[in-house]
Amino acid sequence: MVRVNTERIESAMVRNGLSIRSLAGRARMSYGACWRLVRGQTNGIRFETLDALCRELDLDPADIIYRKDFASDAIRRLDNGTAGLRGYGVDGVGARD
């Protein structure tokens, strides 16, 4: 799953002296969309928007988005008993036919 690195965005905003409103204007996006992105409450980003944010914040795309590993999520769920992976060889039952 791809996620937004809110800490990197916020630190770059501080470093560049930008508020959410000023970043939105410079990146040519709505204030609401920028606010959701900075707060990590978005489900996607267009390449044009990602490019504009990288330009304004002096970051690379990998600084703004990252891939959260499914395996680490599965291990975490196994640790707290909520895995729900029955039939996939994780719970001792074996892989599905």
Side-chain angles (χ1 to χ4, degrees), residues 44-55 61 65:
I45 185 170
R46 294 181 331 167
F47 287 130
E48 295 85 6
T49 304
L50 181 60
D51 184 51
L53 289 171
C54 289
R55 183 180 59 250
I65 58 174

Side-chain angles (χ1 to χ4, degrees), residues 3-4 19 21 31 36 38-39 42 52-53 56 58 61 65-67 75-76 81 91-92:
R3 297 283 187 197
V4 174
S19 65
R21 189 166 304 282
Y31 171 80
R36 286 188 300 276
V38 170
R39 299 290 181 244
T42 187
L53 289 171
E56 296 303 328
D58 193 28
I65 58 174
Y66 65 96
R67 185 174 183 272
I75 291 168
R76 180 181 46 77
D91 59 359

Side-chain angles (χ1 to χ4, degrees), residues 8 16 19 30 89 97:
R8 284 257 175 103
N16 291 299
S19 65
S30 72
D97 296 337

Side-chain angles (χ1 to χ4, degrees), residues 30-90:
S30 72
Y31 171 80
C34 190
W35 186 90
R36 286 188 300 276
L37 186 79
V38 170
R39 299 290 181 244
Q41 298 179 0
T42 187
N43 291 326
I45 185 170
R46 294 181 331 167
F47 287 130
E48 295 85 6
T49 304
L50 181 60
D51 184 51
L53 289 171
C54 289
R55 183 180 59 250
E56 296 303 328
L57 296 173
D58 193 28
L59 296 173
D60 289 325
D63 295 326
I64 295 177
I65 58 174
Y66 65 96
R67 185 174 183 272
K68 188 172 181 180
D69 188 18
F70 172 78
S72 64
D73 285 346
I75 291 168
R76 180 181 46 77
R77 288 192 306 262
L78 281 173
D79 287 342
N80 69 18
T82 60
L85 296 174
R86 185 172 186 81
Y88 289 96
V90 177

